[in-house]
Amino acid sequence: MIEEVINSFDYIVQLKEKGMITWEEIFPSFYSIAKNNFKVIQENGLLEDVKKILAYTKPLKTLSEERKERRLEGLKDSLKILKERYLVDEVLEKPEKKLAPLTDIKYIKKVGTKRALILNKLGIFSLKDFFYYPPRDYEDRRKVVKIFNAKEDEKVVIIGNVVKSEEVKINKGLTIYNFSVEDDSGVIIVTFFNQDYVKSYLKRGVKSAFYGKIEYSYGMKQMKSPDFQVIESDEDFKSEILPVYPLTFGIFQTTMRRIAKEAIQQTYFLEEFLPEEFVQEFNLLDLKKRIKGIHFPLSIYHKERSWYSLKYEEAILFELAMIYLKLKMKEMKKGETKEIKGELTKKFLNTLNFELTQAQKRSYEEIRKDLISPYPMNRLLQGDVGSGKTVVSELAIIDVCEAGYQAAVMNPTSVLAKQQFKKLSKDLEPLGLKIVLLTGDTKESDKILIKEKLKLGEIDVVVGTHAIIQQDVEFKKLGLVVIDEQHRFGVNQRLELIKKGNHPDILVMTATPIPRTLAMTFYGDLDVSLIDEMPKGRRPIKTILIAESNRKSLYEFVKEELDQGNQVFFVYPLIEESEALELKNAISMYEELSKVFEEYKVGLLHGRLSPSEKNDVMDKFVQKEYDILVSTSVVEVGIDIPDATVMVIEHPDRFGLSQLHQLRGRVGRSDKQSYCFLVIDDDANNEIKSKMNSFSKTLDGFEVAEIDLKWRGPGKFFGVEQHGIPEFKFLDLVEDINIIENSRKKVERFLATIQSFDRYPNLKHELQTRYGDSIHLVNVL
Ligand code: ADP
Ligand code: MG
């Protein structure tokens, strides 16, 4: 086939590039390829082009090295052109009827109401959804071989006549149908299991094409349950690449393909919406070609170009949405600018017994500029656990309150809200600021009072959970919203906030060091400040893998730490015993550890305690009424206990690496040496061991996140809910980092101002249909 011929030319050029052959050797190699494939070349109309290329590669004595180099470049270009010309195509036959891309899928021929319901389950509701429904694989049915030449394990097409058939009843449930199929080179056995309908097709003397894998059985070549197509003559067989779609119950691959054939006809009417400069810069296939090419590619080259182009399409559109949103948010004026005096913050800084790190100073400076600016702040403050984000947010809160505004601080749980409240009231009340706590646990009568005071402006700072935005809380003058430890607080929630008030400044803080690509997608509309430096004097936490059988020495170590007045966490994946999983659990280990360390006080924390019970346990640990805290992962984020020096995590493989990193960050928050023990089963497999090992070697949250992303994939990275990250169909957030980055850079240049968008109505329309709902773009476009 023609793709193989062009690839052979390509291969020779690669050999030359690798220095494995000389320029002079190209011509004879090309010549023999051309000669051996003369028929294919001629039939596909390539003869003239190949002649030109041959002439171009003729070895000439007069050619200098430099000109050979240039010719090699020219040769590469010619081959590229050849590929684009002969290996890529599009649907050209005009369908009778034009259907709008958003036409309900049930109106496509061969679909109908009943099948449409099944397609809906696959996420296909419209014609356009089908365009963008990627196959999970392809079957290359271009390789027709003679039976004699068919090699074991190869997937090929055989064309032959049925010469014999037999039916073997093995038992009640299993009947085997064997057919001997012959061509002019040999015989192959084609076998089916229980599919008795094949009998009626594969009668003796019938000619058929079979597609399947070649196997050997008792010295005979065999194909098991191949796809087949009865034909009149060899010419009836269409050698093509077919899509293999992900399916669901109630629909066959063949049906999907038939529907696809119908649907894809309609790409005839598609018009490119990507601006020419994107197509040029990234060398993308035109819309018609790239859609056709993921379903019915003319060649493997076509398929790959299509996937590549659709990845870019997806990345470009997504980044456009993000940057558009960012610009749009910047455009919304705050109404008035805040007058930041900085007197109170000076006072506050003097009360601290440490100096801010350079990174903290820089981040605060960036935030202050946003506060003063007439446009609302949308900033992410990113910094590893313990890097000191709180103090930076406090500075912003103080500034805003001094300027006569109110601030709201939101936390993911009420335990954290309470701890945060304690810290903030200790720091801010001496400065004369009024601060309250508002969570689900707050008494109803207190709630009413608090809401009243917020409305009157008698309270400066309210600390709480996300309920603050959901409830009907009104502010007199909300100037700043701080969202702590909230990597799940997506674009939509932020837009919700903005819709609510008169554009408060928003500061999102996260210790979840998300990998670059995810940050770019999830926080694509935010400005970022990074605290990439730990406070001075911190000793790096030592992470130690310990075998279950070594538990005793672990306990001895823990005891020594306790004797020095330090505190210890024990963390378990389960609350209580489970029949299905043989894992240690918090409740029974709480009992065991209370005995092992009987002279010390042990607390127990898990998600089944009521919020006030949780608060109580946490409080006691903070106040050092407990020396040991046995817990599930509820202790995960944000909690600050300076005397805690040991974190023991049992069954660490039950946690994600990023979660382990968060847990580890609960210790090492002072100048004492801290330790994190990962207790590993003696018979744990190598994968677990190597994963834990690489985790123990780094303290860098970003590195952990990258490792985690590689192991778990982006879907699970954020936990079950994805909150605003659209599902990408083509992009792979791990593999396609470069595509995302390139697109982002290009889009930033392209969309310098919002107005520049108006020149591209098609693009705008596409963006709206694509992301209108999921990113609430409807509100702003
Ligand atoms: P995180 O970024 O994880 O939220 P915190 O803000 O809770 O971290 O800070 C962790 C601890 O480090 C706190 O006890 C805090 O007082 C302390 N800290 C913050 N900044 C500094 C600094 N520049 N020098 C010394 N200690 C600091
Ligand atoms: Mg924090």
Side-chain angles (χ1 to χ4, degrees):
M1 75 189 103
I2 197 64
E3 183 161 26
E4 279 180 337
V5 177
I6 298 179
N7 282 346
S8 311
F9 288 140
D10 233 12
Y11 181 66
I12 302 296
V13 171
Q14 280 169 32
L15 288 182
K16 166 70 184 104
E17 284 211 291
K18 286 185 196 141
M20 294 164 78
I21 58 170
T22 62
W23 167 259
E24 285 70 21
E25 281 169 295
I26 295 180
F27 177 78
S29 311
F30 271 32
Y31 187 80
S32 77
I33 294 169
K35 207 173 126 202
N36 292 336
N37 297 284
F38 186 76
K39 215 175 127 208
V40 180
I41 290 173
Q42 200 179 30
E43 276 170 6
N44 286 277
L46 243 70
L47 199 56
E48 286 311 307
D49 288 307
V50 172
K51 273 186 190 163
K52 268 187 219 150
I53 286 179
L54 277 174
Y56 192 70
T57 51
K58 272 238 169 81
L60 300 171
K61 284 217 176 63
T62 50
L63 228 48
S64 68
E65 283 307 311
E66 196 202 325
R67 283 187 58 201
K68 284 182 198 166
E69 277 307 309
R70 252 187 286 145
R71 286 212 164 187
L72 186 66
E73 289 306 311
L75 193 55
K76 283 198 300 203
D77 288 342
S78 317
L79 287 178
K80 225 183 253 166
I81 292 169
L82 226 53
K83 285 185 182 172
E84 293 288 313
R85 199 179 291 159
Y86 297 101
L87 300 182
V88 175
D89 77 343
E90 61 182 45
V91 178
L92 285 174
E93 217 173 292
K94 189 174 177 182
E96 285 164 30
K97 210 163 87 194
K98 179 179 174 175
L99 299 171
L102 294 181
T103 304
D104 190 319
I105 193 70
K106 73 178 176 209
Y107 297 119
I108 305 301
K109 256 194 226 158
K110 309 221 156 62
V111 181
T113 330
K114 246 166 90 195
R115 269 194 192 136
L117 288 175
I118 298 172
L119 292 176
N120 291 169
K121 280 194 211 146
L122 297 170
I124 302 170
F125 295 87
S126 66
L127 177 62
K128 186 172 176 185
D129 289 336
F130 211 113
F131 292 164
Y132 287 92
Y133 187 69
R136 61 172 170 79
D137 202 358
Y138 297 85
E139 280 177 5
D140 191 346
R141 300 193 176 183
R142 295 170 305 165
K143 204 160 184 169
V144 182
V145 299
K146 293 284 177 200
I147 294 171
F148 178 78
N149 293 328
K151 291 190 196 75
E152 193 172 359
D153 278 342
E154 232 182 353
K155 283 191 116 180
V156 291
V157 176
I158 297 272
I159 296 179
N161 293 306
V162 178
V163 290
K164 204 174 117 194
S165 67
E166 84 183 330
E167 191 175 323
V168 190
K169 211 168 171 91
I170 303 286
N171 56 39
K172 232 166 72 195
L174 178 63
T175 307
I176 292 179
Y177 301 90
N178 283 323
F179 301 89
S180 303
V181 174
E182 194 182 76
D183 68 7
D184 56 15
S185 76
V187 181
I188 188 166
I189 307 295
V190 175
T191 304
F192 295 89
F193 305 90
N194 286 346
Q195 294 153 283
D196 68 340
Y197 72 91
V198 297
K199 280 192 299 187
S200 55
Y201 292 99
L202 300 176
K203 299 221 169 88
R204 219 173 331 144
V206 159
K207 186 171 209 154
S208 179
F210 300 90
Y211 172 80
K213 197 161 88 182
I214 303 289
E215 295 174 49
Y216 272 92
S217 149
Y218 302 108
M220 289 288 289
K221 285 182 185 174
Q222 190 186 23
M223 259 188 195
K224 286 182 192 149
S225 310
D227 273 0
F228 66 92
Q229 182 191 343
V230 175
I231 51 178
E232 292 281 313
S233 71
D234 286 19
E235 278 72 50
D236 284 350
F237 176 72
K238 193 154 182 252
S239 66
E240 60 189 341
I241 301 174
L242 287 179
V244 181
Y245 295 104
L247 299 175
T248 184
F249 187 74
I251 194 157
F252 288 120
Q253 196 60 253
T254 40
T255 318
M256 271 302 265
R257 284 176 185 156
R258 253 182 265 138
I259 297 169
K261 275 256 154 75
E262 286 299 327
I264 300 314
Q265 289 303 320
Q266 288 290 330
T267 57
Y268 177 90
F269 300 106
L270 285 180
E271 265 174 60
E272 182 61 273
F273 53 80
L274 287 176
E276 182 58 24
E277 54 182 289
F278 284 92
V279 175
Q280 286 286 336
E281 178 153 343
F282 301 124
N283 188 21
L284 307 179
L285 282 185
D286 177 74
L287 181 60
K288 287 181 200 185
K289 291 182 183 166
R290 62 180 185 261
I291 297 287
K292 161 94 192 305
I294 59 157
H295 298 278
F296 299 105
L298 185 65
S299 64
I300 298 299
Y301 176 77
H302 186 189
K303 178 204 97 185
E304 275 164 10
R305 292 272 289 124
S306 299
W307 272 83
Y308 163 91
S309 302
L310 280 163
K311 280 169 190 274
Y312 260 106
E313 179 191 308
E314 206 164 39
I316 290 165
L317 284 174
F318 182 73
E319 293 304 341
L320 275 170
M322 280 307 179
I323 300 212
Y324 189 84
L325 203 59
K326 188 169 170 175
L327 289 174
K328 206 72 193 177
M329 289 205 202
K330 286 220 160 114
E331 220 178 39
M332 303 174 189
K333 288 234 165 126
K334 280 186 211 169
E336 49 187 351
T337 59
K338 297 189 172 87
E339 206 183 308
I340 304 300
K341 299 194 196 78
E343 295 295 326
L344 270 186
T345 48
K346 225 181 265 163
K347 222 162 124 188
F348 171 66
L349 285 170
N350 283 333
T351 66
L352 293 178
N353 55 7
F354 53 75
E355 235 210 284
L356 295 185
T357 61
Q358 284 309 317
Q360 283 171 318
K361 283 185 193 158
R362 180 172 15 94
S363 300
Y364 171 51
E365 221 19 72
E366 287 163 358
I367 292 169
R368 230 167 61 93
K369 274 200 195 118
D370 286 351
L371 294 178
I372 295 165
S373 137
Y375 304 103
M377 168 164 79
N378 269 296
R379 187 168 287 278
L380 173 69
L381 179 60
Q382 206 175 9
D384 215 338
V385 265
S387 61
K389 294 181 290 294
T390 314
V391 85
V392 176
S393 70
E394 282 177 325
L395 288 165
I397 292 169
I398 295 167
D399 276 337
V400 165
C401 292
E402 189 182 26
Y405 293 80
Q406 293 164 297
V409 182
M410 298 198 278
N411 294 272
T413 66
S414 57
V415 172
L416 287 171
K418 192 164 174 219
Q419 207 191 26
Q420 178 89 281
F421 171 70
K422 269 197 192 145
K423 167 118 183 84
L424 293 192
S425 32
K426 197 175 95 223
D427 289 350
L428 304 185
E429 266 169 4
L431 303 170
L433 299 182
K434 289 213 181 55
I435 171 165
V436 294
L437 178 68
L438 179 63
T439 68
D441 312 333
T442 310
K443 261 196 291 173
E444 213 43 52
S445 55
D446 288 348
K447 260 186 207 162
I448 295 171
L449 202 68
I450 289 172
K451 284 185 192 171
E452 191 59 37
K453 285 187 171 174
L454 280 169
K455 203 170 158 185
L456 290 171
E458 287 169 13
I459 291 169
D460 298 300
V461 184
V462 55
V463 180
T465 50
H466 292 137
I468 300 180
I469 48 163
Q470 278 137 23
Q471 288 173 1
D472 52 341
V473 179
E474 280 177 62
F475 292 86
K476 181 163 186 239
K477 219 174 166 191
L478 180 62
L480 173 68
V481 177
V482 177
I483 300 154
D484 195 12
E485 295 298 356
Q486 207 25 344
H487 53 286
R488 297 198 180 111
F489 200 82
V491 182
N492 290 340
Q493 283 95 329
R494 289 197 296 277
L495 283 171
E496 199 78 15
L497 259 181
I498 289 175
K499 271 195 287 177
K500 208 178 161 108
N502 40 357
H503 305 318
D505 288 310
I506 298 177
L507 181 66
V508 181
M509 304 202 287
T510 178
T512 310
I514 46 179
R516 267 180 318 158
T517 38
L518 286 189
M520 248 186 263
T521 49
F522 198 62
Y523 294 122
D525 63 318
L526 295 181
D527 297 314
V528 180
S529 292
L530 185 64
I531 308 188
D532 51 2
E533 176 187 5
M534 283 291 176
K536 274 196 217 79
R538 289 277 166 79
R539 297 212 213 159
I541 303 167
K542 289 192 176 140
T543 307
I544 299 155
L545 273 57
I546 187 158
E548 172 64 43
S549 52
N550 245 341
R551 181 172 291 274
K552 238 178 123 196
S553 61
L554 171 66
Y555 287 170
E556 278 160 25
F557 185 90
V558 165
K559 179 137 191 323
E560 276 171 34
E561 286 291 312
L562 290 168
D563 288 345
Q564 287 168 38
N566 294 329
Q567 291 169 285
V568 177
F569 288 100
F570 278 84
V571 175
Y572 297 87
L574 296 182
I575 298 182
E576 60 187 5
E577 222 169 307
S578 139
E579 292 206 349
L581 300 164
E582 235 181 85
L583 298 175
K584 296 218 159 40
N585 63 81
I587 292 181
S588 52
M589 285 308 286
Y590 164 72
E591 281 156 21
E592 178 175 331
L593 293 168
S594 303
K595 279 184 216 141
V596 176
F597 303 102
E598 55 182 355
E599 61 270 49
Y600 289 102
K601 291 223 170 56
V602 186
L604 174 65
L605 181 75
H606 57 70
R608 230 178 281 150
L609 299 180
S610 76
S612 67
E613 286 170 323
K614 273 192 242 167
N615 280 338
D616 205 48
V617 175
M618 234 24 254
D619 268 357
K620 285 189 170 153
F621 194 53
V622 175
Q623 307 299 337
K624 287 191 89 168
E625 283 179 43
Y626 292 138
D627 307 290
I628 297 175
L629 187 64
V630 178
S631 172
T632 56
S633 62
V634 290
V635 74
E636 201 178 336
V637 276
I639 281 156
D640 191 15
I641 299 174
D643 276 340
T645 56
V646 182
M647 165 64 66
V648 180
I649 304 171
E650 305 231 28
H651 305 294
D653 49 299
R654 290 271 149 182
F655 301 92
L657 291 188
S658 295
Q659 206 180 5
L660 288 182
H661 183 69
Q662 293 286 338
L663 288 169
R664 177 169 63 183
R666 299 301 121 229
V667 298
R669 304 194 134 228
S670 65
D671 52 7
K672 293 185 195 166
Q673 177 62 54
S674 291
Y675 306 86
C676 173
F677 289 96
L678 306 174
V679 186
I680 307 212
D681 282 350
D682 290 353
D683 55 1
N685 64 32
N686 283 340
E687 188 182 301
I688 291 176
K689 282 182 191 154
S690 91
K691 198 151 92 172
M692 292 307 145
N693 208 25
S694 48
F695 172 75
S696 74
K697 293 221 163 71
T698 179
L699 285 173
D700 179 342
F702 283 93
E703 214 172 295
V704 172
E706 300 282 352
I707 302 172
D708 204 15
L709 185 64
K710 284 207 181 91
W711 283 95
R712 291 206 287 164
K716 299 205 187 93
F717 189 83
F718 280 105
V720 194
E721 309 116 298
Q722 293 224 338
H723 289 279
I725 297 196
E727 287 242 4
F728 290 122
K729 291 189 170 137
F730 300 94
L731 279 174
D732 176 326
L733 292 178
V734 181
E735 303 284 314
D736 299 325
I737 293 183
N738 286 339
I739 293 181
I740 296 172
E741 278 182 358
N742 292 342
S743 304
R744 174 133 192 129
K745 276 186 216 139
K746 174 74 190 163
V747 167
E748 269 167 1
R749 267 177 282 140
F750 173 78
L751 209 60
T753 64
I754 289 207
Q755 288 68 31
S756 52
F757 215 23
D758 292 337
R759 278 180 285 138
Y760 302 91
N762 288 348
L763 182 61
K764 208 164 164 174
H765 179 254
E766 183 61 30
L767 206 57
Q768 189 134 21
T769 48
R770 188 92 51 123
Y771 288 130
D773 290 333
S774 64
I775 322 186
H776 287 213
L777 270 185
V778 250
N779 296 331
V780 282
L781 267 180

